[in-house]
Amino acid sequence: MDKEACQGECQLLDLPWEDVLVPRILSLVPLQTVVRLQRVSKQFHSLIQVYLANCRSFNLSPLGPCVTREAFCSMLKDNRVLQSLSLHSCSDWVTDSELLPVIGQNRQLQSVELRGCTGLTRRSLVAVSLTCTHLTHLGLAHCEWVDSLSLRSLADHCGELQSVDLTACRQLKDEAVCYLAKKCVNLKSVSLAVNANITDEAVEAVAKNCRGLERLDLTGCLRVNDHSIRTLAEYCPRLQSLRVNHCHNVSEHSLEPLRKRAVDIDVEPPLQRALVLLQDVLGFAPIINLQI
């Protein structure tokens, strides 16, 4: 290749940064690779800073344990256009001090995933509620700091919420969940799993107020029984998935109508469970005429 041809070649960094490289190329690159690119050269470092200031989705989950709080704050210090933020697996270091500034300057956030972020407090949830009024998804699984007051704040200010994961938020009781259901009627996916405080009252409130409900997780809700499951079948025609494993007071009597609607249920029918047990004991499945 002659010298003129070499000079005529277009280098990657010659492409328009904000119109091409950031939205069409770097947006497709995994975050861990983007972070490493900063070390290539001063130009690449400047490019990545532009990208971080303009990215709309920021998922730190794959890198969580390897990132320092200083690095996190540095990466998002200039971003004011985030729509999706995931900090799952960042529990070792993320606290209110790191999260609050990011929330405060990103009012367009629609999805926030804080699963397992045990170092946060109710201040973070209240900040999300007051700032991110267009929120549609919030993940709070295993965040035991979530209490009734902070959940009420969420309900009061985030009426567009469609998905909420409250797995193992053990401070919550029926009253708070009922309030959320009445305020956030567009909920399609709800998890109340692993909470012994939840009873039929909360489940019925979700069923009667959130008629578009598609997925409900009640795993380990020991005080839920058939009554609320029947209500769920009556009021939620769009239900697609129901999780009731370890709900010992929920029987096949209430689940059967949902099975007939092809709802995905994580508990096998009694006969099917018996056949599995027989197969384990005998080493083969006996032939049974189910049409008798």
Side-chain angles (χ1 to χ4, degrees):
M1 187 178 295
D2 57 33
K3 186 175 180 180
E4 290 184 1
C6 290
Q7 291 176 343
E9 286 184 350
C10 178
Q11 301 297 318
L12 178 65
L13 293 177
D14 293 334
L15 296 172
W17 287 13
E18 295 188 12
D19 294 331
V20 177
L21 289 180
V22 169
R24 300 183 180 275
I25 297 179
L26 288 179
S27 61
L28 304 176
V29 178
L31 182 60
Q32 53 266 47
T33 303
V34 170
V35 172
R36 293 192 189 102
L37 283 173
Q38 293 185 99
R39 307 170 188 170
V40 173
S41 68
K42 290 183 178 179
Q43 270 193 303
F44 265 105
H45 183 272
S46 298
L47 170 63
I48 300 309
Q49 292 304 306
V50 172
Y51 165 74
L52 291 172
N54 289 277
C55 68
R56 285 171 167 73
S57 179
F58 190 81
N59 182 5
L60 204 55
S61 302
L63 290 174
C66 304
V67 174
T68 64
R69 61 187 63 188
E70 292 79 15
F72 170 73
C73 295
S74 175
M75 284 190 281
L76 291 181
K77 61 182 174 62
D78 298 320
N79 193 305
R80 287 168 175 77
V81 295
L82 271 183
Q83 295 180 2
S84 176
L85 174 66
S86 178
L87 299 180
H88 172 44
S89 79
C90 300
S91 59
D92 290 343
W93 54 266
V94 69
T95 67
D96 294 343
S97 298
E98 290 76 45
L99 183 60
L100 290 176
V102 175
I103 297 298
Q105 64 192 31
N106 285 283
R107 295 181 173 272
Q108 300 306 311
L109 274 167
Q110 298 174 16
S111 174
V112 176
E113 180 57 60
L114 301 175
R115 179 184 182 89
C117 292
T118 56
L120 299 175
T121 71
R122 69 162 68 163
R123 289 181 60 207
S124 286
L125 181 51
V126 171
V128 169
S129 304
L130 297 176
T131 305
C132 311
T133 54
H134 298 291
L135 199 67
T136 58
H137 168 76
L138 180 60
L140 296 168
H142 302 282
C143 293
E144 296 195 17
W145 44 267
V146 176
D147 60 9
S148 296
L149 287 176
S150 56
L151 194 71
R152 288 175 72 93
S153 177
L154 177 71
D156 285 334
H157 298 94
C158 298
E160 298 177 25
L161 200 63
Q162 296 182 20
S163 171
V164 63
D165 187 350
L166 300 172
T167 299
C169 293
R170 295 187 177 90
Q171 288 195 57
L172 297 179
K173 297 182 180 179
D174 285 340
E175 181 184 1
V177 176
C178 291
Y179 190 85
L180 178 71
K182 290 174 183 177
K183 291 284 189 174
C184 300
V185 296
N186 295 314
L187 281 169
K188 295 180 179 180
S189 178
V190 177
S191 176
L192 303 173
V194 199
N195 188 342
N197 295 319
I198 298 300
T199 73
D200 283 345
E201 183 182 354
V203 178
E204 289 194 345
V206 172
K208 291 179 179 180
N209 291 282
C210 309
R211 304 292 184 88
L213 191 69
E214 297 175 359
R215 292 173 294 278
L216 179 61
D217 191 346
L218 300 172
T219 302
C221 292
L222 304 177
R223 299 172 66 189
V224 169
N225 61 45
D226 285 338
H227 186 73
S228 61
I229 302 302
R230 291 192 190 98
T231 304
L232 196 64
E234 179 182 355
Y235 285 89
C236 300
R238 299 181 184 177
L239 191 67
Q240 300 173 10
S241 172
L242 177 63
R243 296 291 175 262
V244 288
N245 199 19
H246 302 298
C247 295
H248 304 303
N249 295 316
V250 174
S251 71
E252 187 61 22
H253 293 294
S254 62
L255 295 176
E256 185 178 8
L258 292 171
R259 293 191 198 279
K260 290 180 178 179
R261 283 166 36 188
V263 175
D264 180 31
I265 301 174
D266 62 340
V267 175
E268 296 288 349
L271 180 57
Q272 185 64 37
R273 290 202 299 270
L275 288 174
V276 171
L277 288 172
L278 276 175
Q279 185 172 7
D280 289 341
V281 173
L282 301 176
F284 65 93
I287 300 174
I288 298 177
N289 186 354
L290 297 178
Q291 296 180 346
I292 296 176

